[in-house]
């Protein structure tokens, strides 16, 4: 039995998924993780290193890695790529000034071999802010159609403040990952 099959088998038994949250700093990654886990989102400090949260979601256990997005620490993202099943790329849809930077970092990340099989959920966050770009507009600016055709991806508008869109996004991600790694269920 190959290593991949063994990993699949173990994961299948435990129903665990590893989810990596990434995006530019201030996009709302930590707030999303807190909100989805039903925690207080009123006081949030910037993620300087990383946070790991294990949450139960549907019948699965999600190990969510929330990695800081400041420019100086983006080069360390690669330390967290191993065995990632799902990627969540969070965009501050109101921060139009930094969308070019956001597109560059996303496409750069997707070149990574170890992430090639990961399902990709893009959260167009902060939809509650007036002037925020819609998910369709974000998809255009980020040039999402240029991604590798084999990539499973979806963009969902959300607000970590109101919670709108979060379940829709995570439901899709978890189902997409499950259909690949728990395929014998
Ligand atoms: P990060 O983990 O990606 O760095 P944070 O981002 O979760 O720390 O959020 C950065 C700031 O954006 C926080 O504000 C947070 O409250 C705010 N934020 C996150 N999501 C939303 C959203 O959906 N809508 C709005 N309006 N704000 C959001 P502060 O003021 O603490 O810097």
């Amino acid at each position: 039995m190959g290593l991949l099959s063994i990993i699949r088998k173990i994961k299948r038994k435990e129903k665990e998924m590893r989810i990596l949250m990434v995006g530019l700093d201030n996009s709302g990654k930590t707030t999303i993780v807190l909100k989805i886990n039903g925690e207080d989102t009123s006081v949030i400090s910037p993620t300087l290193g990383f946070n790991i949260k294990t949450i139960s979601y549907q019948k699965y256990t999600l190990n969510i890695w929330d990695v800081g997005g400041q420019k100086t620490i983006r080069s360390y993202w690669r330390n967290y790529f191993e065995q990632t099943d799902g990627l969540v790329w969070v965009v501050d849809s109101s921060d139009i000034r930094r969308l070019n930077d956001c597109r560059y970092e996303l496409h750069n990340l997707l070149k990574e071999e170890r992430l090639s099989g990961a399902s990709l959920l893009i959260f167009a966050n902060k939809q509650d802010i007036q002037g925020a770009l819609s998910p369709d507009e974000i998809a255009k600016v980020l040039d999402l159609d240029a991604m590798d055709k084999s990539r499973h991806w979806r963009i969902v508008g959300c607000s970590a403040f109101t919670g709108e869109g979060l379940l829709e996004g995570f439901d899709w991600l978890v189902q997409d990952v499950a259909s690949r790694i728990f395929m014998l269920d």
Side-chain angles (χ1 to χ4, degrees), residues 22-34 41-47 51 66-70 90 92 94 125-129 158-163:
V22 264
L24 301 188
D25 49 297
N26 210 46
S27 53
K29 298 178 290 296
T30 307
T31 316
I32 288 174
V33 178
L34 292 174
T41 55
S42 56
V43 187
I44 292 156
S45 31
T47 312
N51 300 311
D66 167 18
V67 185
Q70 288 88 346
V90 184
D92 178 344
S94 71
N125 191 31
K126 306 200 186 182
Q127 290 295 317
D128 59 291
I129 296 181
C158 74
S159 163
F161 269 15
T162 66

Side-chain angles (χ1 to χ4, degrees), residues 8 81 83-87 110 112-120 150-153 173 176-177 180-181:
R8 277 205 183 115
F81 292 163
Q83 290 179 28
T84 294
D85 300 308
L87 262 180
L110 296 178
E112 179 59 47
E113 182 70 39
R114 283 170 296 168
L115 297 176
S116 60
S119 310
L120 170 66
S150 62
R151 171 82 60 189
H152 290 202
W153 68 274
L173 185 68
D176 195 75
V177 170
R180 287 186 293 106
I181 67 173

Side-chain angles (χ1 to χ4, degrees), residues 116-182:
S116 60
S119 310
L120 170 66
L121 167 67
I122 296 144
F123 265 142
N125 191 31
K126 306 200 186 182
Q127 290 295 317
D128 59 291
I129 296 181
Q130 212 173 8
L133 296 190
S134 69
D136 282 351
E137 289 170 315
I138 295 286
K140 278 204 188 79
V141 180
L142 297 187
D143 211 5
L144 298 183
D145 284 333
M147 280 190 294
D148 194 306
K149 294 289 172 257
S150 62
R151 171 82 60 189
H152 290 202
W153 68 274
R154 182 158 176 182
I155 183 164
V156 174
C158 74
S159 163
F161 269 15
T162 66
E164 177 210 339
L166 297 185
L167 292 180
E168 182 192 338
F170 272 95
D171 281 356
W172 174 80
L173 185 68
V174 163
Q175 286 315 315
D176 195 75
V177 170
S179 67
R180 287 186 293 106
I181 67 173
F182 307 127

